[in-house]
Amino acid sequence: MVEVMRLSTVILPIHRWAEGQKIWRRAEDLGFHAAYTYDHLSWRSFRDGPWFGAVPTLTAAATVTRRMRLGTLVTSPNFRHPVTLAKELITLDDIAEGRVTLGIGAGGNGFDATTLLKGDEEAWTPRERADRFGEFVHLLDKLLREPADATHEGRFYSAREARNLPGCAQRPRLPFAVAATGPRGLALAARYGQAWVTTGDPKLFEAGTSEQSAEAVAGQLTRLDKACAEAGRNPSELDRILLTGFTPDFNPALPASRRGRPLDSLEAFVDFAGRYAELGFTEIVVHWPIDDSVFAADQAVFERIATEAVSRLG
């Protein structure tokens, strides 16, 4: 197992701040390493309910917490531009006093991909998303590392003497946690990432088993190591983050024999997380419970996991 396994949470931006701030404070009190939120315009079954902006939510969270890291899982190019995002990130990192991690990914289909389309415009193809993602990460890295005067003229994005003074509170910039499973995304993680993020293999969520899911993730780790070797990077330099909730273990529609029900008890979670710790993961992220949703869980059990699981994995 890894020397230290970190446990973090995702708090969806669905709560008015009068209630939401209590959750973020509670997450810090429980000892979570980090609390992330999703950066979407809306998301899946939550589309018809409240959904607030990620950066303002994290900014507010930074003012009511002191120790816990904060971040996105994940931001994508779907509705973001590197120049404006960089300005928001340096502001957020300043307010949070250097506690921000940017989870970043290529994005996908759904509301984020279609909300800004005009007329008969079509959503980007997977290839175009990958093309944009590569340029997006490159330019964002440049903007955050060169706050005085960053210029770029690319195929999709440009910047002319962009200024982001005084730069990030963290030097040379805040860390990137790159979500990727394909070869191009893994190459970006190897080149620019301080961490790599996976949700497992989505094809196995409905038809796979816990064992098959772990095997698929092990394959992703092998490909990540290869990408690091090709980039001349030591793989141990990257943290490995598993965002849970999207493997067969968490699918309530599957029979018990094919899933692990990790949030049903402390013992079940330790068994689940231990398997991924043995694979080399350094951080496990669980969703804060939401009643009547795919993320429903017993709050008391969840809080026991938050406070006791890490010591059982050390």
Side-chain angles (χ1 to χ4, degrees):
M1 292 188 181
V2 295
E3 183 177 351
V4 178
M5 167 66 76
R6 298 188 292 269
L7 184 60
S8 300
T9 189
V10 169
I11 302 171
L12 296 193
I14 61 175
H15 307 280
R16 290 189 180 276
W17 191 243
E19 292 301 317
Q21 63 180 299
K22 300 174 185 176
I23 298 175
W24 289 85
R25 286 194 181 103
R26 184 59 178 160
E28 181 166 78
D29 290 343
L30 290 170
F32 281 111
H33 165 71
Y36 303 96
T37 198
Y38 285 179
D39 188 16
H40 294 299
L41 297 175
S42 187
W43 190 69
R44 297 187 183 181
S45 62
F46 297 91
R47 180 178 183 179
D48 295 326
W51 189 276
F52 295 97
V55 174
T57 296
L58 291 169
T59 303
T63 68
V64 299
T65 59
R66 291 292 176 267
R67 304 176 303 278
M68 182 173 65
R69 291 195 66 83
L70 308 168
T72 56
L73 280 182
V74 294
T75 292
S76 81
N78 267 334
F79 60 94
R80 296 287 189 183
H81 190 287
V83 171
T84 52
L85 178 59
K87 183 67 70 175
E88 293 182 349
L89 290 172
I90 67 161
T91 306
L92 173 59
D93 201 41
D94 179 68
I95 294 170
E97 298 181 321
R99 291 185 287 131
V100 176
T101 296
L102 179 72
I104 188 168
N109 297 320
F111 312 126
D112 294 352
T114 59
T115 300
L116 300 182
L117 296 180
K118 296 187 297 182
D120 58 355
E121 283 184 334
E122 295 183 358
W124 303 334
T125 65
R127 179 182 292 275
E128 186 175 359
R129 283 200 301 270
D131 291 343
R132 286 179 177 269
F133 186 41
E135 189 176 329
F136 189 93
V137 175
H138 169 77
L139 178 53
L140 190 59
D141 174 74
K142 182 181 181 70
L143 290 163
L144 295 175
R145 288 179 183 272
E146 302 174 15
D149 184 4
T151 296
H152 171 86
E153 191 67 41
R155 179 182 173 192
F156 302 106
Y157 305 105
S158 61
R160 184 176 300 174
E161 298 180 357
R163 287 170 171 78
N164 288 296
L165 296 168
C168 296
Q170 300 171 87
R171 299 295 185 178
R173 60 154 167 78
L174 53 78
F176 289 178
V178 181
T181 56
R184 296 176 67 183
L186 290 172
L188 288 173
R191 180 176 179 184
Y192 294 102
Q194 284 65 58
W196 167 73
V197 183
T198 184
T199 58
D201 185 341
K203 297 189 295 294
L204 296 175
F205 181 70
E206 294 183 355
T209 65
S210 297
E211 293 73 21
Q212 289 172 332
S213 180
E215 290 174 4
V217 171
Q220 293 173 359
L221 287 165
T222 298
R223 294 192 292 275
L224 176 65
D225 288 348
K226 180 180 178 182
C228 286
E230 292 173 349
R233 184 101 181 263
N234 185 340
S236 66
E237 294 176 4
L238 273 73
D239 285 331
R240 291 159 168 77
I241 302 173
L242 176 68
L243 173 58
T244 66
F246 306 98
T247 64
D249 311 85
F250 291 83
N251 185 349
L254 291 177
S257 61
R258 289 171 57 190
R259 57 189 170 101
R261 302 176 65 87
L263 298 183
D264 278 9
S265 69
L266 173 62
E267 291 71 23
F269 183 81
V270 169
D271 179 67
F272 167 82
R275 280 181 278 138
Y276 286 91
E278 289 174 352
L279 289 176
F281 279 85
T282 55
E283 186 174 346
I284 302 286
V285 185
V286 292
H287 289 80
W288 194 272
I290 303 172
D291 292 340
D292 301 318
S293 80
V294 294
F295 303 125
D298 183 281
Q299 187 70 31
V301 173
F302 177 84
E303 295 198 2
R304 188 180 179 202
I305 290 170
T307 55
E308 298 182 35
V310 170
S311 64
R312 297 273 295 272
L313 292 167

